[in-house]
Amino acid sequence: MSRLRRDPREERATHRLTDGGRPRWGLEAPPASGRLRRDPRREIEAARVPGLQRLRLDRTSRSIIPVIPSPVEPLPKAAPTIRIVEEPAFLVAVVPDAPGGRLTPLDRQLLGAARDLADVAGGATLVLAFGTVDGLGLAGADRVITMAGGGSEDPSARAIALATALSALHPRHVLFPESAKGGDLARRLVARTGEELFTGAENLTGKLVTRAAANRRIEQRMAPPGLMTLAPDAHSPHAGPAHEAREIPAPDVFPSGGHGAILSVEDLPVAADALSLAEADFVISAGSGIADFDLFRALARALGATPGASRMVCDAGLMPRAAQVGASGTVLEAACYFALGISGAPQHLQGVARCEHVVAVNTDLHAAMVERAGLAIIADAHPVMSALLVALRAEAQE
Amino acid sequence: MKALVLLSDARHPVSGRPAPAATELQAVALAHTLADEVNGLHAGPDAEAARGALGHGLTRLEHRQLTAGDDPLPSLVAAIGTAPPDLVLAGPRAGAGAQTGLLPYCLAEALGWPIVADAVSLAVADGVLEVIQALPKGARRRWRMRLPAVITVHPAAPAAASFALGVARKGQVVETPGLPARIEGPPVAERPYRPRPRLIASAAAGAGAAERLKAATQATGPGGQVMVAPPPEAAARAILDHLRAIGVLKPAERG
């Protein structure tokens, strides 16, 4: 590759000013090349993170530099494609746990398995839900029946309602999650109807279903029977286009109470402090950016979260070793992780990998935890903790 | 008060030798919290594993003899019918065999008794049984019911009593012939267990170690909202609103 040879006399001639008799040259004007000149000082000014003593630069241009809207008209968004199964050959029923109207990961895997079973021969998936559930169409549900008696937490009443509904609908397969709630409901139903139940399926296809038995020494396999429960993390969730999740009327079910000997069923309040980290649902965690641990514990109590800590804090003896989150501590199964003053070493992030939501408060914009978080606050954690406590107390007094 | 613990022909999960299942021993300990007489019941060809529970606080073990492959349910119903206890306890799964966890439910249905799974604590007041049930994520649920009832025990229940040789030697085993009943069901093929990989958030096949670590540690969704140096009050409000939007924190009570 050869460069064009510069001609200094010609360059000088372009700067010549023609305003008087004496020859003058204006050298401050830029030479007329095609490329725009970068101004590194202006770029640094634009990337500077405000409000901090130390110079911090954000070169990701994620939040600081406003994005200039392009003059090009955006293409009209194609309507999301929804797959509709109008005349299903058969039904595959699914009874999800859906605590609080949200599908759990196992519920999504269950719907993925039901989708595969239905697509073998043009069937449709049917969700039998106790109460309204969000996001069923994306998870692969064709039909939805909202069963009456969603308020009652007594599983024996639910099993009776389910047995009546299933005898009217005649689905080819019925799938339950092998969780505490779904497994209990499936076994109650089977004990009542006397059908066969294939529990804890670890591999499920249209032709064969497999489960472990005898302390995982043997595996039992057969063609998929009518009723099955699916083990966690055994099947991938539905990843294709959304389905319509059409609400259809529930078959007539006579409202029935549970077993006559059961007097009351009530949920007890969870003592978040006393929970072990492995079974906690909401964990608030302190890292080396935290100095005031009394304030941290008060905030954990006010939020109803289980306190955790990073390795550095546990090594320093500021929190017990049982509170350590990460590869050498506890791997969490929590729904939400609230990290205060934790930058997020890879070993720590492994402990958070299965958490659905992460909220981070950290002074470092470039921390890995900030990258992982759904909501990140770039600030010192102590004033934020105090403000959170004040806001929670004000709400409690209202 | 009389309690009965169902014992399976369990195998030790590692050595494979006959040994009582851990949750069944916890059931014995849980029964001792409210019953003064705790008996064991086993229906099957061999009671060697169930005999091991005698040293953990069982007074007496009743063994209903069956041939291999028989359904134990009719024998259990008959044994419970001759001398009905106030409470029947069982583990969540048998310690060997198919391990479907169905038997306590079928037994409760056959007896017409209520059943509660995953109990961690029991109490009786005025003939009403109070059961604390363990649910996932550390939640607890309280059931109140009239006796008799069938209860299965959660691994989080109090630990079992340690083995005592003298108590084990003193415990008596009563052998009675059971009711032969063949299991009728669809044919199930059996073969040695082959572990399958659990589903994880994985990078594309053939990705490098860095990509796999990233897939294992980072969220799959788009990057979240970032607030740079906000006032603490605004940050607190944003955090509380976010926690309520994802359903972790209960909505503020107004009025």
Side-chain angles (χ1 to χ4, degrees), chain A:
Chain A
M1 186 179 155
S2 63
R3 282 163 66 181
L4 283 176
R5 188 165 177 174
R6 284 177 62 200
D7 184 353
R9 285 184 194 79
E10 196 183 316
E11 281 176 13
R12 197 173 157 87
T14 60
H15 290 298
R16 177 150 194 173
L17 302 174
T18 53
D19 54 340
R22 196 165 64 96
R24 291 173 64 224
W25 289 271
L27 289 179
E28 66 272 11
S33 80
R35 275 169 61 192
L36 281 174
R37 191 166 171 180
R38 283 180 58 212
D39 185 353
R41 289 183 189 80
R42 204 182 56 198
E43 285 176 8
I44 285 175
E45 253 336 289
R48 182 196 284 270
V49 176
L52 293 170
Q53 301 281 319
R54 191 157 67 99
L55 174 69
R56 308 288 309 175
L57 299 180
D58 177 20
R59 293 190 196 274
T60 60
S61 70
R62 181 161 56 151
S63 55
I64 317 295
I65 304 169
V67 180
I68 302 155
S70 66
V72 181
E73 201 61 26
L75 285 171
K77 240 184 186 173
T81 50
I82 291 183
R83 217 182 122 210
I84 294 175
V85 183
E86 202 55 61
E87 294 282 328
F90 58 92
L91 289 172
V92 179
V94 171
V95 186
D97 281 347
R102 292 162 196 265
L103 291 174
T104 62
L106 178 54
D107 289 339
R108 291 180 198 285
Q109 293 160 12
L110 198 64
L111 272 158
R115 193 71 257 157
D116 284 1
L117 284 176
D119 287 343
V120 166
T125 57
L126 164 72
V127 172
L128 296 163
F130 291 90
T132 52
V133 181
D134 299 336
L136 283 172
L138 279 174
D142 290 315
R143 307 280 189 275
V144 180
I145 288 180
T146 307
M147 305 280 292
S152 159
E153 282 292 339
D154 186 358
S156 56
R158 288 188 173 190
I160 295 170
L162 211 52
T164 328
L166 290 176
S167 64
L169 292 163
H170 302 294
R172 185 181 281 188
H173 305 287
V174 187
L175 294 177
F176 292 86
E178 182 62 56
S179 59
K181 191 175 161 191
D184 184 50
L185 185 59
R187 287 176 176 87
R188 281 176 195 274
L189 174 72
V190 166
R192 190 172 178 78
T193 60
E195 285 176 73
E196 289 291 324
L197 176 70
F198 195 86
T199 56
E202 291 191 347
N203 190 27
L204 179 57
T205 62
K207 285 185 184 150
L208 200 66
V209 58
T210 311
R211 68 184 295 271
N215 296 327
R216 297 190 176 272
R217 278 164 196 272
I218 57 170
E219 64 179 33
Q220 300 180 329
R221 25 198 262 152
M222 62 188 293
L227 286 130
M228 288 175 275
T229 66
L230 185 72
D233 294 344
H235 202 282
S236 53
H238 174 61
H243 286 249
E244 55 175 338
R246 188 197 302 167
E247 186 84 29
I248 59 172
D252 289 331
V253 174
F254 291 108
S256 60
H259 197 284
I262 292 175
L263 303 173
S264 71
V265 184
E266 54 180 330
D267 285 343
L268 300 179
V270 182
D273 303 16
L275 274 184
S276 77
L277 278 178
E279 59 178 5
D281 195 37
F282 178 23
V283 176
I284 179 167
S285 194
S288 46
I290 300 293
D292 188 351
F293 280 85
D294 291 335
L295 179 61
F296 169 72
R297 288 196 193 92
L299 178 61
R301 223 169 298 124
L303 283 170
T306 308
S310 70
R311 183 194 56 78
M312 285 184 75
V313 169
C314 291
D315 280 358
L318 297 166
M319 289 283 282
R321 181 62 72 189
Q324 184 180 330
V325 172
S328 54
T330 308
V331 176
L332 301 180
E333 297 278 340
C336 180
Y337 184 67
F338 187 4
L340 290 161
I342 298 178
S343 56
Q347 290 83 357
H348 188 84
L349 287 176
Q350 282 175 22
V352 190
R354 294 178 70 87
C355 295
E356 198 177 344
H357 304 283
V358 174
V359 178
V361 179
N362 204 313
T363 48
D364 186 359
L365 178 62
H366 307 282
M369 188 58 86
V370 172
E371 194 76 22
R372 170 74 172 78
L375 170 66
I377 310 286
I378 310 303
D380 184 27
H382 293 95
V384 176
M385 286 202 290
S386 306
L388 271 170
L389 264 183
V390 169
L392 285 168
R393 280 180 189 147
E395 280 175 5
Q397 280 172 7
E398 264 178 32

